[in-house]
Amino acid sequence: MAKYEKFPYVTLLLGILAVLMIRIGMPTLFTGYQITATVMALLMTLGTVTAHLLGQHRVVRVLHWVTVYYTVVTFIIMVIYYISAFMVITDERGLESVFQEHLSTAKWIYFALCFAQPIMLPIPEAVTVVAGSSAFGAFPAFAIGFAGTWLGEAVMFTASRIGGLKLVQRLIQPSKLEQYHKYVSKNETVIMILLFIIPVLPDELVCVGAGISGVSPKRFLLIAAVSKLLTSSILAYSVYLAQWLALTPTQMILSVSGIALLVCGAYFAMRKKAARSN
């Protein structure tokens, strides 16, 4: 209780942060929502200060945690707000044109997109990396794309590992998790690599499934690194390979996926044959 007897600087700062996110971070948000959300944040902040001055430390504690949750929810809404706005822009003008229009910050935007893909961003890796390759070259697109995606997968895996099944069930439908477990019930390492390479399931689902199924962090990070080295390099150089082979980037990606499926089929056929011979 002693820490709540001090002036609630943290609560005050969180309340101000929430107001700034509402008023400055989301400028085109509907005015009615902006006013309501701002008034709520200000009331919580003023209520905390008033309760402190009156010595109502239990009320201060309650308002502190209410403010914490309110600020977190506001931040999540702001992230969704920018993702939605970005999706609208990319649908209208294309991701490559967005990079070309913001060349000074394009690589940072690209890194942020790759990082967010395995966590929350519903844009396929093929779209992002190919657009990055077209905008600022194959090797930068490969290097930045690999680093961003691998770090994003590590964060998603760690979050699911720490949060456990209860947190995962709030983020992902149980039916999708059942799909993952069905795919990896046997030969988990090989299947995880293939799922990262061939877009049968979203990367975030593979990360979450691995996180709650007991895969060791070292093993997961190695599998993710090998898989993303392959996909990032293929996608980054697919524009040039496609031109050399007179294929479109989409045809190139489909061809690579087909080769991976053939390799997968041959692997399991050889294992089945070896099992029978034993």
Side-chain angles (χ1 to χ4, degrees):
M1 181 68 71
K3 67 178 181 179
Y4 294 104
E5 294 177 3
K6 299 177 182 178
F7 190 80
Y9 290 108
V10 174
T11 310
L12 187 63
L13 289 173
L14 287 174
I16 293 171
L17 179 61
V19 172
L20 291 174
M21 286 191 289
I22 295 163
R23 303 298 298 178
I24 300 175
M26 296 178 279
T28 60
L29 190 66
F30 180 62
T31 306
Y33 294 152
Q34 271 198 348
I35 293 172
T36 303
T38 303
V39 169
M40 288 176 63
L42 290 174
L43 285 175
M44 286 186 290
T45 304
L46 292 173
T48 303
V49 174
T50 304
H52 171 75
L53 294 175
L54 294 175
Q56 299 294 322
H57 303 301
R58 185 170 295 179
V59 176
V60 172
R61 180 173 60 181
V62 171
L63 288 174
H64 169 78
W65 286 110
V66 170
T67 306
V68 168
Y69 288 121
Y70 187 82
T71 306
V72 170
V73 170
T74 303
F75 176 75
I76 292 171
I77 292 172
M78 187 176 71
V79 170
I80 295 171
Y81 169 89
Y82 279 104
I83 289 174
S84 301
F86 184 79
M87 295 293 289
V88 171
I89 293 172
T90 53
D91 283 343
E92 289 179 353
R93 290 181 283 174
L95 189 55
E96 183 182 343
S97 65
V98 174
F99 289 150
Q100 290 173 344
E101 289 172 11
H102 303 83
L103 283 177
S104 60
T105 57
K107 291 180 180 179
W108 289 106
I109 296 172
Y110 174 63
F111 176 83
L113 291 176
C114 292
F115 177 80
Q117 275 175 336
I119 302 172
M120 65 177 73
L121 195 63
I123 300 178
E125 182 186 12
V127 174
T128 310
V129 177
V130 169
S133 178
S134 300
F136 36 78
F139 183 76
F142 155 67
I144 298 170
F146 166 73
T149 306
W150 186 73
L151 286 173
E153 289 173 346
V155 168
M156 194 62 170
F157 172 82
T158 304
S160 61
R161 190 69 176 258
I162 295 172
L165 189 58
K166 289 184 179 179
L167 174 63
V168 169
Q169 287 177 338
R170 292 181 183 179
L171 300 174
I172 295 177
Q173 296 176 0
S175 59
K176 291 185 177 180
L177 277 177
E178 288 176 11
Q179 274 186 302
Y180 170 82
H181 290 301
K182 181 180 177 182
Y183 281 120
V184 302
S185 57
K186 296 179 181 179
N187 305 299
E188 185 174 48
T189 300
V190 176
I191 298 298
M192 279 179 61
I193 292 173
L194 290 171
L195 288 176
F196 274 132
I197 295 173
I198 305 169
V200 177
L201 296 175
D203 279 4
E204 62 268 25
L205 185 56
V206 181
C207 297
V208 167
I212 63 173
S213 65
V215 177
S216 70
K218 184 177 179 180
R219 183 181 169 199
F220 173 81
L221 292 174
L222 180 61
I223 290 171
V226 171
S227 304
K228 291 303 139 183
L229 274 172
L230 185 60
T231 59
S232 297
S233 59
I234 289 173
L235 291 170
Y237 286 94
S238 65
V239 175
Y240 304 96
L241 289 172
Q243 291 173 353
W244 183 57
L245 296 172
L247 298 171
T248 65
T250 302
Q251 289 172 332
M252 185 68 196
I253 293 165
L254 288 174
S255 299
V256 171
S257 297
I259 292 169
L261 282 172
L262 289 173
V263 171
C264 174
Y267 170 81
F268 285 112
M270 290 173 64
R271 287 203 60 171
K272 191 173 181 180
K273 185 177 179 181
R276 285 179 179 176
S277 62
N278 291 332

